[in-house]
Amino acid sequence: AAPVMLSRFRGALVGSVLGDCIGGEFEGAVDVPLDRVLQHLSALEDETRGDGILQYSDDTAMMRCVSDSLLTRMPFDERDMARRFAKEYNLAPGRGYGSGVIQVLRKLASPHLKDVFQPAQAQFGGRGSFGNGGAMRAAPFALAYKSQADVCRYSRLGAMLTHSCSLGYNGAALQALAVHLSLQGALALPKEFINKLISEMEEMEKDETAQLDAKALNLSDFPYCSRLHRVKELMDRNSVSIEEVISELGNGIAALQSVPTAIFCVLHCLEPRDGLPERFGGLERTIAYSLALGGDTDTIACMAGAIAGAHYGIDSIPQSWQKSCEGVEEADDLARRLYDLYCLP
Ligand code: 8NA
Ligand code: MG
Ligand code: MG
C-alpha cells in the first residue's frame, strides 16, 4: 500500500500547485467559455510555447510555508508558522494576496508581537476574515496527521493566523478534511464521502461562535452543511449547467463560496463529462471544470486540484502540465517529506 499512498500525497500537493498556476490565467473573470479553458490547457502541451512557465500565487506561497512549518515543528507551532508567512510575504509581496490579509502579514512580521492570533482578530472591525485564504493552504494538514480530529483541529488553528472568522477557519477545516478522506480512498464511494463531510461539519457548526457568526452575516444556521447538501443535490442530477453551479454554490473569494464549490468540481468530474476531451483523466477534467466556473479560479482549482490529486495520484498528472508550472518540484519534495514523517511509528 505504501507506493499508492506516496503517490496520493504527491498528487495532493502537486495538484494544488497546478490548480493555482493554471487557474491564475482566469482569476476574477466573470465568464470563462470552455473553449478558452481548453485552449489554455492545450497550450501547456506545446513545447514551443514562448511565454515561459506559469507562476504560482499566494495560494502556493502559503501552502509551502504551512508544509515547511509542519515538517520542522510537528505537531504545530503557531509562532513558527506565522513567522514563515510574514517572511514569505516580505520576500515576494507581489503574489496576489487578498487586500485585507496583507495587513495581517505586515503585523506578523513584528518581533514584538506577543499573540500571533491577534492581528487576524483585528481584521474587518473585529469580525475577522471569511476569505478562502485559510482553505487554499490547508492541504498539508491532511498530509501531516493521521487522525481526522487532528486534521480538523490544526487546520483550523493554522487558518486562524490570518482568518479569525469561523467561516474562514471552518472552510479551511472542510478543505483539509476533504483531502484527508480523499487520501484514504474515500472518493471511491462519493455518496459516503459527502455524507462524512456533512456530519463532520455538523459538529463544527454546532459551536456557539459559528452560530453567532452565521447570524451576524445573515446566513442560515449551519452554512457549510447547507451548501454541502446542495452539492449532494447537484450530484444526483443528470445535467447541471455552469450557471446553476455558480448560483447554488458560488465561485467567490469567500471560503463559503469556494470550498464546497471545489468539492463539487471533484465529485462532478469523477466521470467523463460533455464538453471535456475524452482523453482527459479525472484530474485534468477537475482542473478544466474548475476554471470554467470563473471567479476565484486559481484558488478553486488549487483546492479541487489537491482533493483530486489525492484521489488519482501523481501518475495521473500530465508531465507537460507539471513542466509548465512554477514550484512543482518543490511541492513534490514537500509531499515526499511529509509522507516520510507520516510513516514514522
Ligand atoms: P482576505 O483575508 O484579504 O480576504 C479577501 C477579501 O474578502 C477581503 O479583501 C474582503 O474584500 C473580503 N472579506 C473577507 N472577510 C470579510 C469580512 N469579515 N467583511 C467584509 N469583507 C470581507 O484574503 P484571503 O487570504 O482570504 O484571500 C482570498 C482570495 O484573495 C484568494 O483567492 C487570493 O488568491 C486573493 N485574491 C487575489 C486577487 C489578486 O489580486 N490576484 C484577486 C482575487 C483574490
Ligand atoms: Mg491566489
Ligand atoms: Mg485566488
Side-chain angles (χ1 to χ4, degrees):
V4 175
M5 200 50 153
L6 176 58
S7 169
R8 288 175 179 273
F9 271 55
R10 297 170 61 201
L13 293 199
V14 172
S16 120
V17 173
L18 289 188
D20 178 14
C21 293
I22 298 173
E25 172 80 4
F26 304 111
E27 188 178 28
V30 178
D31 191 29
V32 184
L34 198 52
D35 287 6
R36 279 197 58 207
V37 171
L38 298 179
Q39 242 172 49
H40 180 50
L41 293 174
S42 34
L44 304 178
E45 287 160 33
D46 180 4
E47 304 261 324
T48 59
R49 182 175 55 100
D51 50 2
I53 65 166
L54 302 171
Q55 308 269 304
Y56 65 75
S57 75
D58 54 337
D59 307 48
T60 298
M62 297 192 91
M63 179 280 280
R64 288 169 59 150
C65 297
V66 170
S67 299
D68 284 327
S69 182
L70 295 177
L71 281 164
T72 45
R73 299 288 188 137
M74 276 285 275
F76 182 72
D77 179 342
E78 63 271 16
R79 298 191 71 83
D80 178 75
M81 201 173 282
R83 197 162 39 233
R84 288 175 193 273
F85 290 155
K87 194 171 160 203
E88 168 60 34
Y89 173 69
N90 194 38
L91 283 170
R95 293 262 187 205
Y97 288 86
S99 51
V101 77
I102 290 170
Q103 300 172 47
V104 179
L105 297 172
R106 291 205 180 110
K107 290 182 190 170
L108 288 178
S110 163
H112 306 296
L113 187 68
K114 286 219 174 66
D115 176 4
V116 287
F117 292 104
Q118 191 277 326
Q121 290 160 6
Q123 291 292 95
F124 302 102
R127 198 151 280 165
S129 174
F130 52 61
N132 56 20
M136 72 189 183
R137 61 178 192 249
F141 291 99
L143 279 55
Y145 312 101
K146 289 196 181 66
S147 87
Q148 187 162 306
D150 282 347
V151 170
C152 290
R153 175 182 314 129
Y154 293 118
S155 58
R156 288 170 105 207
L157 277 173
M160 282 176 199
L161 290 168
T162 49
H163 292 67
S164 78
C165 176
S166 62
L167 276 301
Y169 59 74
N170 283 343
L174 174 57
Q175 167 64 12
L177 195 57
V179 176
H180 168 79
L181 293 176
S182 182
L183 287 171
Q184 316 295 321
L187 277 166
L189 298 169
K191 280 278 153 58
E192 285 182 26
F193 176 85
I194 193 79
N195 285 337
K196 279 181 193 161
L197 292 178
I198 291 172
S199 62
E200 192 62 36
M201 293 316 287
E202 271 168 4
E203 285 307 307
M204 245 179 261
E205 296 194 307
K206 266 184 200 163
D207 177 76
E208 196 190 338
T209 310
Q211 298 275 334
L212 290 172
D213 285 347
K215 258 204 191 65
L217 291 164
N218 271 322
L219 299 165
S220 61
D221 297 345
F222 297 89
Y224 280 103
C225 291
S226 66
R227 296 258 163 166
L228 291 169
H229 279 290
R230 286 187 215 167
V231 169
K232 211 169 145 180
E233 282 160 26
L234 293 175
M235 277 167 77
D236 284 337
R237 300 241 306 265
N238 289 326
S239 86
V240 189
S241 72
I242 296 280
E243 291 73 23
E244 285 172 291
V245 177
I246 298 171
S247 74
E248 293 286 310
L249 303 176
N251 64 0
I253 55 173
L256 185 64
Q257 290 168 12
S258 49
V259 183
T261 310
I263 291 167
F264 175 75
C265 290
V266 178
L267 290 165
H268 184 72
C269 294
L270 287 169
E271 289 163 35
R273 291 290 168 184
D274 287 347
L276 296 176
E278 271 175 43
R279 65 192 163 84
F280 271 15
L283 183 123
E284 294 152 281
R285 287 196 295 271
T286 304
I287 302 255
Y289 189 77
S290 308
L291 304 198
L293 296 181
D296 195 359
T297 48
D298 68 328
T299 303
I300 294 173
C302 162
M303 297 189 292
I307 303 165
H311 177 62
Y312 300 107
I314 188 73
D315 298 326
S316 71
I317 305 180
Q319 281 300 327
S320 61
W321 289 24
Q322 296 190 45
K323 288 201 191 97
S324 308
C325 298
E326 182 194 13
V328 165
E329 277 174 35
E330 289 83 351
D332 195 12
D333 182 56
L334 290 169
R336 289 170 181 278
R337 287 161 56 203
L338 283 162
Y339 177 76
D340 290 340
L341 200 61
Y342 187 90
C343 290
L344 289 178

